[in-house]
Amino acid sequence: KAQGYQISETLVYQDNQSAILLEKNGKQSSGKRTRHMNIQYFFITDRIKRGEMTMKYCPASEMIGDHFTKPFQGVLFRRFRTIIMNVEE
């Protein structure tokens, strides 16, 4: 908004299906190990309830951002390189 663009909704791609279930089902789908997530959990669920954000599943093999943080080789490297640099092979 500060730069003059209207943003209707933020889409967050998540490859962790447990995190998506936690967001949808609430505390029922959590166990003892998720106690430390209270602040982050409530922040995300609050944004989703307000309609400011949506969470969608994206398999790890399709996460383009992983290309910047993980070393890839072969076919996967060439695939992400083509997408990021917008070039044809």
Side-chain angles (χ1 to χ4, degrees), residues 40-53:
Q40 293 173 348
Y41 166 76
F42 287 119
F43 176 79
I44 299 293
T45 51
D46 184 42
R47 296 290 184 249
I48 291 173
K49 284 180 185 174
R50 285 189 202 169
E52 298 174 4
M53 185 172 122

Side-chain angles (χ1 to χ4, degrees), residues 48-64:
I48 291 173
K49 284 180 185 174
R50 285 189 202 169
E52 298 174 4
M53 185 172 122
T54 355
M55 199 178 294
K56 184 177 177 185
Y57 176 71
C58 180
S61 62
E62 295 177 16
M63 285 281 197
I64 297 173

